[in-house]
Amino acid sequence: MKFAVITFPGSNCDYDCYRAIRDHLQCPVEYIWHREDSLRSCDCVILPGGFSYGDYLRTGAIARFSPIMRRVTEFAQRCGPVIGICNGFQILLESGLLPGAMLVNRGLQFICQPVHLRAENTNSPFTASLKPGQIIRIPIAHKEGNYYADDRMIRQLEDNGQVAFRYCDPQGRPTPEANPNGSINNIAGITNRRGNVLGMMPHPERAMDKLLGSDDGRIIFQSIARHLGGGAC
Amino acid sequence: MLTAEIHVTLKDLVLDPQGTTLKRSLEALGFTGVAEVRMGKYIQVRFDSDDRKAVERQVDEMCQKILSNPVIEQYRFTIREGQ
């Protein structure tokens, strides 16, 4: 079971993801530079957070044309698990592997703070170890995390159970006050229809150790490991 | 030499947090009668070509492929002679 962390120019959470896998999950993990043309037989792809290509034009808009993204797309189409965190989520949206787009946060500010998330769909490889409705607390750090899709797409996401996480208050209520950025329906993370691609704005890799405030992010990586150990999706 | 002048803006149905904030600032500065503010991007692309039809086709493709995100944005452009 081997993980790939894709590094783009401007990625800055790649080492956190690498360490989350190597030290906490104790699984093999490799960096793959965005200009490479092979995923080197990795079993799970992580698109880390950061500011790929300086967020020029739109977040993720240029990174999606990096050579490795062709391989990531093929991998996702073959049902391989792909997780995009923060800028990684934005890249997945731009590449069309996930529906919708990101707008600037409602308050226009870059927000860096812990948030509560409610697990909505626990059937994906990334959320299978969570209980439905389980609340975890992990940080966000973004300026463009205001998830948008048109009404029809939002209905489809909700009806198909593609909303993986919602921003909520400590009691698990997805209130307007608990919504940090203005995302429609408090959406913090979604999967594709088949469930093998997850995009989420909050950073599980920054919540791997109680010493740093929370280790609630571990369960997401543990879910993936368990999934990879137990057959395909 | 031809130059494309491209405007990329949020679709009318998409809320524009930057435009909304700018509107409030304009009102705070005493400007009255501002109904709405929408922000967008202006992109200039120069071509080593005088084939207007081909350039138009290319610019349209650029806009669809990368310069705009069709989920949230719309675009329009004009082509003019010179730099």
Side-chain angles (χ1 to χ4, degrees):
Chain A
M1 181 192 341
K2 192 167 71 169
F3 287 76
V5 176
I6 311 294
T7 305
F8 299 91
S11 295
N12 64 9
C13 299
D14 41 346
Y15 189 56
D16 302 69
C17 290
Y18 185 91
R19 283 203 52 173
I21 304 300
R22 187 191 66 185
D23 299 349
H24 295 284
L25 220 51
Q26 300 190 333
C27 285
V29 52
E30 288 184 22
Y31 288 119
I32 296 186
W33 181 237
H34 76 119
R35 306 241 20 117
E36 291 186 40
D37 197 32
S38 163
L39 290 174
R40 298 192 220 138
S41 325
C42 284
D43 305 297
C44 176
V45 172
I46 303 177
L47 301 178
F51 301 86
S52 58
Y53 290 91
D55 279 352
Y56 293 165
L57 192 63
R58 294 178 308 278
T59 53
I62 300 176
R64 68 153 289 204
F65 291 107
S66 282
I68 197 66
M69 284 308 294
R70 278 197 297 270
R71 302 291 161 251
V72 172
T73 302
E74 290 164 4
F75 182 74
Q77 283 163 351
R78 290 199 309 270
C79 227
V82 177
I83 174 170
I85 301 165
C86 199
N87 188 229
F89 185 8
Q90 294 161 338
I91 296 168
L92 289 173
L93 293 171
E94 282 285 340
S95 66
L97 286 171
L98 290 174
M102 287 298 173
L103 297 170
V104 174
N105 293 345
R106 183 179 45 192
L108 302 184
Q109 303 286 319
F110 185 98
I111 311 170
C112 185
Q113 66 184 45
V115 293
H116 290 93
L117 301 177
R118 192 175 78 189
E120 300 288 311
N121 173 347
T122 53
N123 297 320
S124 80
F126 321 95
T127 56
S129 295
L130 287 140
K131 292 183 210 59
Q134 186 173 340
I135 300 159
I136 58 173
R137 185 172 174 270
I138 65 177
I140 52 166
H142 61 249
K143 188 178 175 189
E144 282 91 1
N146 181 353
Y147 181 76
Y148 173 86
D150 63 24
D151 293 345
R152 219 176 110 231
M153 181 52 70
I154 292 289
R155 262 199 310 280
Q156 273 185 38
L157 289 172
E158 296 284 1
D159 292 349
N160 299 337
Q162 287 174 249
V163 177
F165 295 105
R166 249 184 260 279
Y167 299 110
C168 64
D169 67 12
Q171 285 74 44
R173 291 172 300 213
T175 61
E177 296 75 29
N179 185 342
N181 51 28
S183 291
I184 293 177
N185 291 4
N186 284 42
I187 288 172
I190 56 167
T191 68
N192 61 348
R193 186 80 196 260
R194 291 198 293 185
N196 64 306
V197 178
L198 168 76
M200 61 189 297
M201 287 314 289
H203 288 270
E205 81 287 4
R206 292 192 193 179
M208 300 299 286
D209 203 313
K210 279 215 158 69
L211 189 65
L212 297 176
S214 166
D215 62 358
D216 285 0
R218 287 185 181 210
I219 197 160
I220 290 167
F221 294 101
Q222 285 162 357
S223 292
I224 306 172
R226 188 190 284 184
H227 167 81
L228 289 174
C233 62
Chain B
M1 160 95 53
L2 292 170
T3 299
E5 299 190 302
I6 305 159
H7 290 266
V8 181
T9 50
L10 286 173
K11 286 180 177 172
D12 295 339
L13 280 173
V14 178
L15 287 174
D16 178 359
Q18 295 183 93
T20 309
T21 306
L22 265 178
K23 178 174 182 284
R24 279 202 298 270
S25 300
L26 292 173
E27 285 161 352
L29 287 168
F31 292 101
T32 54
V34 179
E36 193 183 18
V37 179
R38 307 282 293 173
M39 264 186 68
K41 297 186 187 96
Y42 169 70
I43 302 164
Q44 211 178 52
V45 184
R46 292 196 198 105
F47 291 85
D48 293 323
S49 164
D50 291 315
D51 184 344
R52 191 174 271 266
K53 274 244 160 69
V55 163
E56 256 174 40
R57 256 200 320 275
Q58 245 187 314
V59 172
D60 198 54
E61 200 186 331
M62 287 175 186
C63 288
Q64 288 182 37
K65 207 167 176 186
I66 180 165
L67 297 182
S68 79
N69 179 339
V71 178
I72 47 173
E73 292 173 326
Q74 57 199 1
Y75 63 87
R76 61 189 161 80
F77 62 86
T78 52
I79 311 278
R80 61 168 172 78
E81 298 281 341
Q83 294 200 2

